Every structure is written in C-alpha cells, then in structure tokens.
Amino acid sequence: MLQVAGITLMQQTKSIRDIDINDKKILIRVDFNVPMDKDFNISDDTRIREALPTINHCIDNNIKSIVLVSHLGRPKDKNPEFSLIYVLKRLERLLGKNVAFADSIESAQVLQNTLPKGSVILLENIRFYEGEEKNSKDLSQKLASLCDVYVNDAFGTSHRAHASTYGIAEFAKEKVAGILLKKEIDSFAKALANPLKPVLLIVGGSKVSSKLELLSNILDVVDKIIIGGAMSNTFLKAMGYNMQKSFTEDALIKDAIKILELAKTKNVKIYLPVDVVNTDNIEEHKNIKITPSQDIPESYMAVDIGPASTKLFTEVIHSAQTIIWNGPLGIYEISQFSRGTFHIAHSISDTYAFSLIGGGDTADAIDKAGERDNMSFISTGGGASLELLEGKILPAFEVLDKK
C-alpha cells in the first residue's frame, strides 16, 4: 500500500499556519499559470483566487514583505507574451491591494528594502531564468536570499523538481506548505488513505499510456472503475471488439488485458461503455450514429459514450461513497460529443459522495457543465494529481519541513 503511505507522509508537512511569521520576509511559490486570450485577457482566474488565502494569512500576520514567484506557460527565452505583468491587474483586484512588479530578482531585493512593511511584490516569470527548469543551485540560492520563510503553494507544479519548487528549500531557513498545498494533500488523503467505501474511480482521456500506472496502482484502493474516453477503445479492442477508425493504442492491448485480469483477482469491478457515439469525421461531423460498442460502422470512430452507457455509469456513480474522476469521457470540447462527460458531471453532483476531481481537462469539463460548485474538491494540478493517484511522493513535498 505504497500509495497510502506516501500520502500519509506528505500530510506530515508543516503548514504556514504551524509557524510564527511575524516580521519575516516571505517568498510564496504560487501557480499563476492562467489561460489568456491573444489580447492577454484572463479567461479563468481560479489559480489566482486559490492562492489568496495564503497571501492574506501572511498579510494578516504582520510580515515584512511577500515575494510571489510563478511561471506562466513554456517560454523560449524571455518572450514578452509570457510576462506576468498581464496577471498583475487581476491579482491587485482580487487581493484588494497594490502589488509591486519586479522584473528581476535584483529589483525584487531593492523593492523589499524600499517599500513599506507588508508590501506584496510579484516577480517576473521564473521560467525566464534558464536555471529554473534545470534546478540550478545558483538560482535556488538567489531565490532563497529573498526570504526568511519559503512557502510552496503551487500544487500544479509540485511534481516538478525545479529551482523554485525544490532547489530553493536547501537554502531557505524555514520551508512550509501554503494553505492550498495543504488542502490538496488532505483532500487526496480523504479519498485514498481513509475513504468512505465503496470507492469509485472514473478515468477517461485519450491515452491508456498516460493512465497505465494509475490503473495498476489504484486497484488496492478502489472498489469499482469506470473507463471512458478514447482510452476505453483500447480496452474494448482487447476484448475482441472491432473499433474501426477509433483511436486505439495497439501496443498496450496486452497491458489492458493484464489490468482487466488483475482487477478480477482483486475483486474490482470494471465498467466499459456498452454503446458509443460515432462519427466518420471529427472536424465536420455531419454523420453521427449511436451504436453498441461492438457494432461501430466501418470507417467510423467512437467519440463519446452513448445513452445506455450514461445510464449504466450513473447507476454505478449513485452507489459510490467516494468518487475520484480523472479525464473526460468524450471529445467534450465539441458540443455534439460533450453529452456523456457533462451527464457524468451532473450525476456526480447529484450524489452525497465525497468527489475528488483531478485538474486539467476534467476541471475544465466540469466548469463547462456548470457543476464546479457542486464537487467536494477540484484539484488545481492535472499532472500533479495524476502522479499522486499513481502513488508517487511529489518532489515539492519531499523538501518541506515536517511536523
């Protein structure tokens, strides 16, 4: 039960609420990697909002200064379109306070020494420094020089061993988790370490390869698994169905068979789509048919779960006490193929189960279905939440002080 042990260990991390921060310089690694349109308008500010409790906790506890460190996108060199200057206005509005902008670590140091006590400083995109992703010692040291206390509140990047999420801890006097980071790990513990039974995992998305480790690891924790999305095509093909033009990972058919057999020995019931929505062209999709999973018409491909699958999955959802969902069940971005995913979101919101939603596409689909407020917890990290479900200890937690 490596998975549960790892999560319990990560829960022992000290939180900012466990230490005295009065009159100290604080550096908070936040995750302001928010989506923007071509005019730099932020389309979803959830990640900024999620960082506010930690920032406000520091302001309320009489700190000297706060430096906020984040990345934005994957810039090559210092592309101006990846500047965090475009996040500044929204941050100020949500925080209800002026925030200074530092275009370098050196100017952040100058601002710390000249601004009044309690000031908040936003540092330019940390990925503009090439040492960030290389976990450079030099950059880690420079960042640590900005603070007495290092706080990691960026769950979305906690699976990366970068300078601002990992290396800095070696040089920081105190290193603790922020309120969001703590909330994330406690929610995963509630779903995995001591869950209300039965536990249901709903897993979707396009590739079995990206969820293989998750499926193998989680069989000891869950009672039932629903598999949808394009990844279910590989499992259906493994059962001998002709999936026609549907996306499948043929190299993983043996792995799919292994998982189905292993689930049987561990008494975990796996549910696959019994019917699917098909089209012969994803872009134009004039021709759409609903057929049983084993009767996909020639040259058609499965793009969503069908109404009978939706009904079956809804019954399974209503029998669960804990629900973990990672990955949409169809091409939900296209309205004709979104019905299955949205219906599942509505079904989960109708239950009294504890629902833990993996970040990324799943969170986006739940937003589009209008069910964000009806889920128990929506994770802010896609890759990080997937690695937690795979039973891994996240690098960011490894280096923080323990209770």
Side-chain angles (χ1 to χ4, degrees):
M1 294 290 277
L2 158 83
Q3 183 161 35
V4 174
I7 282 183
T8 312
L9 189 75
M10 285 183 269
Q11 272 193 295
Q12 302 309 310
T13 302
K14 257 190 195 174
S15 142
I16 187 149
R17 287 181 167 140
D18 299 327
I19 63 165
D20 175 22
I21 55 172
N22 179 48
D23 209 31
K24 287 179 180 171
K25 290 189 292 185
I26 314 289
L27 183 147
I28 310 174
R29 176 50 161 105
V30 288
D31 183 3
F32 290 167
N33 186 27
V34 290
M36 294 187 206
D37 64 19
K38 59 180 189 338
D39 300 316
F40 306 108
N41 297 308
I42 296 170
S43 53
D44 180 6
D45 61 12
T46 305
R47 286 179 164 176
I48 303 173
R49 288 174 187 275
E50 292 286 4
L52 298 179
T54 300
I55 300 169
N56 283 322
H57 174 82
C58 292
I59 293 166
D60 294 345
N61 280 276
N62 194 33
I63 43 80
K64 250 188 203 152
S65 63
I66 300 169
V67 176
L68 301 174
V69 177
S70 179
H71 74 286
L72 179 63
R74 296 168 183 262
K76 299 269 176 280
D77 303 320
K78 296 190 176 185
N79 311 21
E81 74 258 33
F82 290 108
S83 173
L84 279 170
I85 195 81
Y86 302 112
V87 171
L88 188 67
K89 263 205 186 83
R90 182 69 62 96
L91 173 62
E92 289 184 319
R93 198 166 80 224
L94 291 171
L95 200 55
K97 182 178 170 70
N98 287 339
V99 176
F101 188 75
D103 57 12
S104 69
I105 290 173
E106 292 70 29
S107 58
Q109 276 167 330
V110 172
L111 287 167
Q112 275 183 320
N113 296 325
T114 51
L115 289 171
K117 193 176 171 184
S119 294
V120 181
I121 301 157
L122 175 63
L123 181 67
E124 180 58 286
N125 191 342
I126 193 64
R127 285 196 184 162
F128 283 179
Y129 290 88
E130 69 171 280
E132 163 65 356
E133 292 181 78
K134 292 177 180 167
N135 189 23
S136 126
K137 223 170 193 169
D138 182 47
L139 180 60
S140 300
Q141 249 170 322
K142 277 184 180 161
L143 287 169
S145 73
L146 294 172
C147 66
D148 304 308
V149 178
Y150 164 67
V151 182
N152 191 333
D153 211 27
F155 180 74
T157 58
S158 59
H159 58 312
R160 310 242 183 255
H162 291 171
S164 68
T165 58
Y166 188 84
I168 181 175
E170 190 187 331
F171 307 101
K173 298 182 195 77
E174 289 184 279
K175 39 215 179 277
V176 294
I179 292 164
L180 172 65
L181 202 69
K182 207 84 185 88
K183 197 164 77 169
E184 290 270 5
I185 200 69
D186 288 344
S187 298
F188 276 90
K190 191 171 175 180
L192 295 168
N194 39 17
L196 286 170
K197 295 261 192 190
V199 182
L200 165 66
L201 170 71
I202 303 170
V203 67
S206 57
K207 292 183 176 177
V208 178
S209 49
S210 64
K211 307 273 166 76
L212 204 55
E213 218 173 320
L214 154 63
L215 287 168
S216 310
N217 264 298
I218 211 157
L219 288 171
D220 287 326
V221 179
V222 302
D223 304 289
K224 300 172 184 187
I225 299 176
I226 288 172
I227 302 176
M231 67 180 286
S232 65
N233 300 338
T234 303
F235 282 88
L236 292 167
K237 193 166 184 175
M239 289 163 64
Y241 294 4
N242 184 346
M243 297 310 290
Q244 302 292 353
K245 287 279 172 68
S246 305
F247 174 80
T248 55
E249 289 178 284
D250 293 354
L252 295 175
I253 283 176
K254 278 185 182 154
D255 295 284
I257 292 168
K258 219 179 274 174
I259 283 167
L260 292 171
E261 286 168 354
L262 191 60
K264 224 174 249 171
T265 64
K266 290 184 183 281
N267 230 358
V268 175
K269 184 106 174 73
I270 291 186
Y271 298 85
L272 290 157
V274 290
D275 64 342
V276 287
V277 177
N278 306 291
T279 182
D280 57 352
N281 188 321
I282 289 176
E283 273 72 47
E284 304 200 352
H285 52 260
K286 285 192 196 82
N287 303 319
I288 297 174
K289 295 180 179 179
I290 296 169
T291 66
S293 303
Q294 63 268 50
D295 293 332
I296 297 172
E298 203 178 326
S299 80
Y300 274 64
M301 64 196 90
V303 286
D304 192 12
I305 56 172
S309 303
T310 303
K311 203 171 176 189
L312 167 69
F313 293 171
T314 298
E315 281 176 25
V316 179
I317 286 164
H318 283 281
S319 72
Q321 290 288 320
T322 300
I323 299 166
I324 303 159
W325 183 11
N326 193 297
L329 303 190
I331 307 174
Y332 75 96
E333 301 91 339
I334 298 171
S335 62
Q336 287 90 333
F337 313 140
S338 65
R339 202 169 290 173
T341 299
F342 290 176
H343 198 106
I344 293 304
H346 302 321
S347 300
I348 295 171
S349 82
D350 283 344
T351 70
Y352 291 106
F354 175 75
S355 51
L356 174 72
I357 311 301
D361 287 344
T362 326
D364 184 47
I366 279 165
D367 270 343
K368 288 192 164 74
E371 295 290 5
R372 173 171 277 276
D373 295 339
N374 299 322
M375 301 295 158
S376 309
F377 187 76
I378 299 178
S379 178
T380 53
S385 62
L386 189 59
E387 289 201 11
L388 264 188
L389 293 171
E390 288 170 355
K392 293 175 182 167
I393 292 179
L394 304 180
F397 285 89
E398 278 177 31
V399 294
L400 298 177
D401 294 335
K402 302 293 178 283
K403 285 180 188 171

